[in-house]
Amino acid sequence: MATACVLLVGPSAPNGIPFAKPLPADAVKAVVPNRVMSWNVCNPCKESDVDRAAEIARYAPQVIGLQEACVRDVERIRDYLRRFYGLVYHVEYGTVLRDWGRCGGAPWHPGAFGQAVLSAAPMTDRVSVEYPDGGSEDRGYMAVTTLVDGRPVRVFNTHLAQFQQGAVRADQVGVLAEEVARHERAVVLGDFNAVPQAPELADMWELAAEVDPRCAASPAGSCPPTTDWQSKFDYVFLRGLAPLDHGVHPTAYSDHHLVRSDLRTA
């Protein structure tokens, strides 16, 4: 009866303390050590961080790359993952701007916005780089070294310029690819705002493989879309690693789907 009441009340009690959202029966019970995930969480969409945490907990990846991430939201998501689901993550940020409209805070002290990486293993050697030209909004990438499948891997997380700004994205990919090329084992997560056959992604296709082989510089429509508008914009690129399994998981809590892959290190 108590459980039924909790589910009926909704995402939070009258005192504002949120309830855990129950996971489906097929959800994993602990962190999957060779699993990575990329998700643009859509800000300022004003979705519940309790719901976002539950979506992540369903798959419990070792490494999570979030884009359009407000630091305050990530802090809450991380807390809910630990408190409700027993999933403990370290976090690093790749802030590119401070935005009151997206992330709240006082007008003179707005919230930080950009990328974030959560990892069940500690992370080292964080870098956060803003692209020389972000397009209509500041954009960048971040990188950390952490464990995937028990081995050190360089993990990149990026968000490229908006869809109409292909020339800007081409320059951004050039900056990113030059750094990725320095590493024998790398995972590149992110919202690239470009379909697989877009010319600005050529440098990435030459350097790394996407976890879904159907998407390799393919004609439009031959790999699953990762957005509500039926385009593939979200990628998991691999260098020196191989995919064992992958999936695109639509969610009600963002206009981008979760992109998940289980990996094997060389």
Side-chain angles (χ1 to χ4, degrees), residues 35 211 242-247 260-263:
R35 179 169 293 174
V211 294
L244 296 174
D245 185 28
H246 62 271
R260 182 264 317 160
S261 184
D262 297 349
L263 309 179

Side-chain angles (χ1 to χ4, degrees), residues 36-41 61 63-67 156-158 188-192 233-236 247 256-261:
V36 300
M37 174 185 288
S38 182
W39 191 18
N40 182 321
V41 291
V63 175
I64 307 154
L66 301 178
Q67 304 90 41
F156 294 82
N157 183 21
T158 192
V188 186
L189 310 169
D191 174 3
F192 283 71
F233 280 4
D234 305 271
Y235 296 83
V236 177
H256 288 252
H257 308 337
L258 296 164
V259 180
R260 182 264 317 160
S261 184

